[in-house]
Amino acid sequence: MSWIQKLYDTYEHAQALDVSDQDVMPISHTLQNAHINIVIDDDGNFKRARVLEKTKVVLPATEASAGRSGKEPPPHPLSDKLQYVAQDYVVYGGNKKPFFEGYAKQLGEWVHSAYTHPKALAVFNYVSKGTVIHDLVAEKVCYVDKNEVLLSQWLEESEAPLLFKVLPKDKGKLDQGNALVCWSVEIEGQSLSNTWQDKSLQDAWVQYDINRGGATSFCCVTGNETVAALNHPAKLRHTGDKAKLISANDSSGYTFRGRFLDAQQAVSVGFEVTQKAHNALRWLLSRQGYRNGDHVTVSWAVSGAQVPQPFSDPNEWGSEIDDLSVVEKVFPVENVLNHSVDLGLSFANNFKKKLAGYCSGKSLELTDSIVVMSLDSATPGRMAISYYRDFRPTEYLDNLQQWHLDFAWWQRASKDKKDHGYQDWYLCAPSLWAILQAVYGDIIKSNDALKKNLAERLLPTIIEKRDFPIDIQRRAIQRATNRQSYKQDEQWQWEQNLGVACALYRGYYQRHPDIKKRRTYQMALETENHSRDYLYGRLLAIAENIEQFALDKAGEKRTTTAGRLMQRFADRPFSTWKNIELALQPYIQRLQNSSGGFVVDRKQKLDEVQSLFNSEEFIQDKALSGEFLLGFHCQRLVLRKKNETVNNEEVKEGSES
């Protein structure tokens, strides 16, 4: 039960935090989508009503109603659907079973107890009149037909009322009884009328709910005898989430029969503990959770200090920590690509300073606990913890730092040029979404299973420094190599995927399972790297640069020969290089008169790279490894320079794809 203990402690710490409008929800409450707001006075007289759009409210709830389900779901104490709060729901032909009696009885017991509240009493007095639907129809919030029956469809030619737009539909029909009502009580001298924002009303209900009594039991979390929880909260990931982390159906499914007499003997958690723990988890997921459909991952410090999320993009960290830049943000990339310096060292120093900000001031302490937790549900009613790990701050931040250092590479961040006239480039590890795109392409947008699977596999790699899955790395390399599969207007996406593939290849060999095969690649052009694969990548980049320059000068928009043959080049480099080299000759001749300096310079680069080959390796036609992409990408970035003086001639590079 470590996870629930950590969440319980987090709730206690969160009470002292200044989290503005993102307060942790109080116990004995639940989060719901409200559809109608009814305003009454302190005597329970109707004043007005309106329809709400996409409004979430925190409303009082009992242990049973917070996770209600079944044929007779128990009512909430104050705010609820019309089929609960409206006594005249039946009179107006409500389609569903009414639950007003149970609602009125429960609300009456509260307002007549020692923990009553004037706003709750006003609501009780109003609903007791039995005119809720009548008033809403008169106010033109709800609608009936000529027989005074609530409409389930809007068949008139005029625009449908707002309530018909916000309520969920089933086969084109809706039930107005499903509209959840929240209350506002206007009391003279008080500026706050909304009951869901009234702290004093929330406290009154909490005290009443706690002191209603119940069977005591040993709490497995605190180790104390306390009122035991019989039902545990749902709605953790969103307001419609019915899956629970703790649940039992011993009375019908005989889950524990034969070993325990009842579910409480298997595990018992205190009512207050489970309420606080689940509310803390709900708060954390809404505040900083990463979502992949029903699969969610969240990282948090029990003390409440800010921590970087495993799947967050470091470019988005901004000023959360300090003013130092985690990444090398380049405007434009051409002006700073000095490959005579160690870009990796500069990046590492900046990144370390960035993470160091988390341990300064009032942030993380060495004794703090950082928890990483993933949740998923295979069925609508059951939720599982698919990943759980407790870290010390130094271990967590060191592992996260190592991920961003091992897998850092130049990444293209945008499709279009910004106001400054250039694309944004970053020197960092790729984000999870960028990896998803590079590995699976557009299919990932509609396939939650793939996204979930990849996230689950990458999480241990990111925060536990485990080896990178080789199949993911190979697929990214394969898709980046197959440039011909990208349309002309998708070349920016190919360029982005190329950066991701290089990052994954570099990171994989930084952590290769076989220590003898581990290799550190610089984040810059390695002129001393005489590897056959790396050199072939450089050759391809130079050939592409020559042809692209010629095409741009002629105003032609098409993929270069090097681009079209990239996949074939990766499979059979020597034989394909002959074709590429022959295809270059017409472009070289075309540029000879107008850009002679450019031609001389690029020919020298081709000769320079070819001279570095081992002759026997050069003529081999075996397939290239992903290392050729590193050479290709680095050489390509070097050739991006906007202006270069060659033989006293200013050479302007062609436009980017």
Side-chain angles (χ1 to χ4, degrees), residues 179-470:
L180 190 139
V181 176
C182 59
W183 308 97
S184 295
V185 182
E186 295 182 345
I187 300 177
E188 187 175 354
Q190 293 186 13
S191 58
L192 181 63
S193 61
N194 296 335
T195 58
W196 63 93
Q197 296 174 328
D198 193 326
K199 188 70 165 56
S200 64
L201 185 144
Q202 293 175 352
D203 291 341
W205 168 253
V206 169
Q207 291 303 313
Y208 172 75
D209 197 34
I210 291 177
N211 290 282
R212 283 195 299 168
T216 60
S217 179
F218 176 79
C219 177
C220 294
V221 178
T222 62
N224 301 323
E225 288 286 331
T226 184
V227 176
L230 299 179
N231 290 289
H232 298 270
K235 298 181 174 65
L236 295 175
R237 296 167 295 188
H238 49 80
T239 55
D241 188 11
K242 297 181 179 180
K244 295 184 179 182
L245 281 169
I246 306 176
S247 62
N249 60 342
D250 190 53
S251 60
S252 58
Y254 303 109
T255 308
F256 303 100
R257 197 61 58 86
R259 179 170 296 185
F260 306 106
L261 294 177
D262 56 55
Q264 294 298 318
Q265 291 183 342
V267 60
S268 179
V269 180
F271 169 76
E272 186 175 356
V273 170
T274 191
Q275 288 277 321
K276 289 183 175 180
H278 282 81
N279 284 356
L281 180 57
R282 188 183 292 113
W283 172 65
L284 290 167
L285 292 177
S286 64
R287 189 170 179 242
Q288 60 206 56
Y290 182 89
R291 300 175 183 271
N292 264 333
D294 286 339
H295 180 258
V296 294
T297 300
V298 65
S299 171
W300 78 93
V302 174
S303 65
Q306 287 281 350
V307 296
Q309 297 299 305
F311 294 137
S312 65
D313 188 341
N315 300 319
E316 300 172 356
W317 291 0
S319 58
E320 288 181 8
I321 320 163
D322 54 32
D323 294 330
L324 290 169
S325 176
V326 154
V327 295
E328 299 288 347
K329 192 172 184 179
V330 183
F331 303 113
V333 66
E334 293 90 339
N335 291 343
V336 298
L337 273 176
N338 182 357
H339 289 270
S340 63
V341 299
D342 187 352
L343 296 174
L345 180 61
S346 172
F347 171 76
N349 289 336
N350 279 352
F351 196 89
K352 289 176 182 177
K353 290 177 183 178
K354 191 67 148 177
L355 284 182
Y358 276 111
C359 296
S360 63
K362 297 181 180 180
S363 195
L364 287 170
E365 302 292 341
L366 293 177
T367 55
D368 280 344
S369 177
I370 296 179
V371 180
V372 181
M373 189 175 184
S374 291
L375 305 174
D376 196 13
S377 56
T379 64
R382 299 287 186 272
M383 188 183 298
I385 299 176
S386 58
Y387 183 90
Y388 179 84
R389 180 77 187 271
D390 187 4
F391 296 88
R392 289 299 177 198
T394 52
E395 181 188 9
Y396 177 78
L397 294 178
D398 285 348
N399 291 352
L400 190 59
Q401 171 182 287
Q402 202 60 49
W403 158 261
H404 285 282
L405 297 183
D406 288 346
F407 290 82
W409 196 263
W410 287 102
Q411 306 293 327
R412 179 168 175 171
S414 61
K415 174 182 178 180
D416 302 317
K417 295 180 179 180
K418 300 299 183 180
D419 295 337
H420 43 68
Y422 301 94
Q423 287 88 1
D424 289 353
W425 284 75
Y426 299 98
L427 185 58
C428 62
S431 66
L432 177 63
W433 179 251
I435 296 176
L436 287 167
Q437 281 283 346
V439 175
Y440 295 115
D442 289 340
I443 189 177
I444 201 66
K445 296 178 181 178
S446 59
N447 196 320
D448 288 339
L450 283 178
K451 288 189 286 187
K452 180 180 71 174
N453 177 266
L454 187 60
E456 288 178 341
R457 296 183 65 192
L458 291 187
L459 187 58
T461 301
I462 296 173
I463 61 175
E464 295 182 23
K465 287 200 297 190
R466 293 190 187 178
D467 302 336
F468 192 85
I470 189 172

Side-chain angles (χ1 to χ4, degrees), residues 18-81:
D18 181 16
V19 290
S20 63
D21 60 338
Q22 295 182 336
D23 293 336
V24 186
M25 193 165 62
I27 66 172
S28 300
H29 284 71
T30 188
L31 188 66
Q32 295 279 0
N33 288 318
H35 306 106
I36 298 174
N37 174 224
I38 296 179
V39 182
I40 58 177
D41 62 21
D42 54 348
D43 292 325
N45 298 314
F46 179 84
K47 299 187 71 174
R48 59 187 178 276
R50 63 189 178 100
V51 178
L52 303 175
E53 294 185 81
K54 298 180 180 180
T55 302
K56 294 182 179 181
V57 297
V58 175
L59 51 87
T62 65
E63 184 182 14
S65 71
R68 68 187 185 188
S69 61
K71 296 181 179 179
E72 295 194 13
H76 295 310
L78 188 66
S79 299
D80 213 324
K81 297 179 180 180

Side-chain angles (χ1 to χ4, degrees), residues 615-629:
S615 58
E616 292 184 0
E617 291 183 344
F618 180 69
I619 63 175
Q620 292 179 9
D621 219 18
K622 67 178 182 180
L624 300 174
S625 69
E627 186 182 19
F628 98 94
L629 289 180

